[in-house]
């Protein structure tokens, strides 16, 4: 059972380039999330999804796009990369409980640097 | 917007001392979860609290959820070097999960 898998683990981008961070989970979780974590800071929610075909904005969605065509995959697209997007990105998933959600399972993170 | 604040931001303790971190939300939460992140690692789930006034214990860790479901605390008794890391609370007012700012714990042997 692989859990939540993120690729790539590291990436350096030039300003203005675009890229997609991949996230796959094999736990059949309904809920998936993308967070970013800046050095010494907490996690900020970028986008989330409550099921295939459904996505919604979090706290810091500007400059990012997501899609959720399957239960397993939740890619994060960065368009026109900017230095402010230098961060560690975490994908997470959780199952749905009556009245709430279960624990979040995190991927190992993708460290992105924009120069 | 939703804000979940934690204090203190940093805490240095001598091994064997106790440690407490506090989490405060600007809105009422459906539940609250606590996570630990080791340096260079990813957050790992510790516990979830759902009921108003709930208290849960895991060995040396004690978790509390406030009566108004707007605050929570994590207390570690007799810290050990393995407790080093950043502790986050995470609250769910809706479908979103908002993380607190975190408390970084350093344990001095």
């Amino acid at each position: 059972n692989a859990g939540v898998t993120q690729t790539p683990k590291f990436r350096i981008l030039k300003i203005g380039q675009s890229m997609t961070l991949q996230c796959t989970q094999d736990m059949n979780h309904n809920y998936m999330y993308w967070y970013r974590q800046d050095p010494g800071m907490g996690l900020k929610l970028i986008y989330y999804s409550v099921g295939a075909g459904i996505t919604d904005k979090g706290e810091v969605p500007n400059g990012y796009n997501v899609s959720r065509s399957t239960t397993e995959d939740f890619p994060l697209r960065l368009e026109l990369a900017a230095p402010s997007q230098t961060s560690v990105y975490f994908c997470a998933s959780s199952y749905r409980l009556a009245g709430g959600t279960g624990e979040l399972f995190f991927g190992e993170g993708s460290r992105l640097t924009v120069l | 917007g939703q804000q979940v604040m934690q204090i203190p931001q940093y805490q240095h303790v001598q091994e064997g001392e106790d440690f407490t971190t506090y989490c405060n939300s600007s809105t009422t939460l459906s539940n609250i979860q606590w996570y630990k992140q080791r340096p260079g690692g990813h957050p790992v789930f510790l516990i979830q609290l759902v009921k108003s006034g709930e208290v849960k214990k895991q060995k040396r860790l004690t978790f509390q959820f406030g009566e108004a479901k707007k605050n929570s605390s994590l207390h570690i008794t007799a810290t050990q070097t393995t407790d080093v890391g950043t502790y986050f609370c995470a609250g769910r007012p809706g479908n979103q999960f908002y993380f607190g700012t975190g408390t970084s714990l350093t344990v001095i042997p």
Side-chain angles (χ1 to χ4, degrees):
Chain A
N1 193 341
V4 179
T5 303
Q6 289 182 235
T7 57
K9 285 186 169 48
F10 302 93
R11 182 73 187 266
I12 298 175
L13 280 181
K14 293 182 180 178
I15 294 172
Q17 286 185 321
S18 300
M19 75 160 297
T20 299
L21 298 177
Q22 301 291 344
C23 177
T24 299
Q25 54 94 6
D26 62 0
M27 296 173 282
N28 202 31
H29 286 169
N30 297 96
Y31 288 60
M32 295 188 76
Y33 311 80
W34 274 105
Y35 290 90
R36 60 175 286 173
Q37 185 175 33
D38 298 328
M41 303 292 285
L43 291 92
K44 293 291 187 183
L45 181 63
I46 305 172
Y47 271 95
Y48 68 102
S49 168
V50 300
I54 305 169
T55 61
D56 211 341
K57 296 178 180 179
E59 302 168 271
V60 289
N62 291 343
Y64 307 94
N65 277 300
V66 293
S67 60
R68 184 94 182 271
S69 56
T70 66
T71 299
E72 295 78 19
D73 300 310
F74 191 41
L76 177 71
R77 178 84 177 160
L78 281 73
E79 302 282 2
L80 298 175
S84 61
Q85 293 178 304
T86 294
S87 190
V88 179
Y89 292 84
F90 288 101
C91 179
S93 71
S94 68
Y95 51 87
R96 181 178 179 179
L97 294 173
T101 61
E103 64 184 271
L104 270 64
F105 292 82
F106 282 84
E108 294 188 354
S110 298
R111 186 177 297 274
L112 175 67
T113 302
V114 182
L115 300 174
Chain B
Q2 170 68 27
Q3 284 202 0
V4 181
M5 304 299 293
Q6 275 182 259
I7 56 170
Q9 189 174 2
Y10 302 97
Q11 185 80 58
H12 295 241
V13 300
Q14 206 73 34
E15 188 174 16
E17 291 182 336
D18 292 357
F19 159 77
T20 304
T21 174
Y22 300 90
C23 177
N24 293 288
S25 169
S26 57
T27 60
T28 302
L29 302 171
S30 303
N31 57 27
I32 197 157
Q33 296 180 351
W34 284 91
Y35 291 80
K36 177 182 179 181
Q37 184 178 25
R38 286 200 164 93
H42 60 276
V44 175
F45 176 80
L46 292 175
I47 207 161
Q48 175 168 274
L49 304 171
V50 178
K51 299 177 183 177
S52 169
E54 190 170 12
V55 178
K56 286 189 176 180
K57 291 190 176 184
Q58 285 181 350
K59 298 183 180 178
R60 295 179 294 105
L61 278 62
T62 302
F63 304 84
Q64 291 188 320
F65 200 10
E67 293 290 340
K69 301 184 79 172
K70 285 187 171 184
N71 56 72
S72 182
S73 65
L74 158 60
H75 180 81
I76 302 178
T77 303
T79 54
Q80 300 175 358
T81 53
T82 53
D83 296 325
V84 165
T86 301
Y87 293 84
F88 293 99
C89 61
R92 180 185 166 272
N95 283 323
Q96 306 185 39
F97 247 111
Y98 291 103
F99 275 74
T101 45
T103 296
S104 176
L105 173 64
T106 300
V107 179
I108 304 163

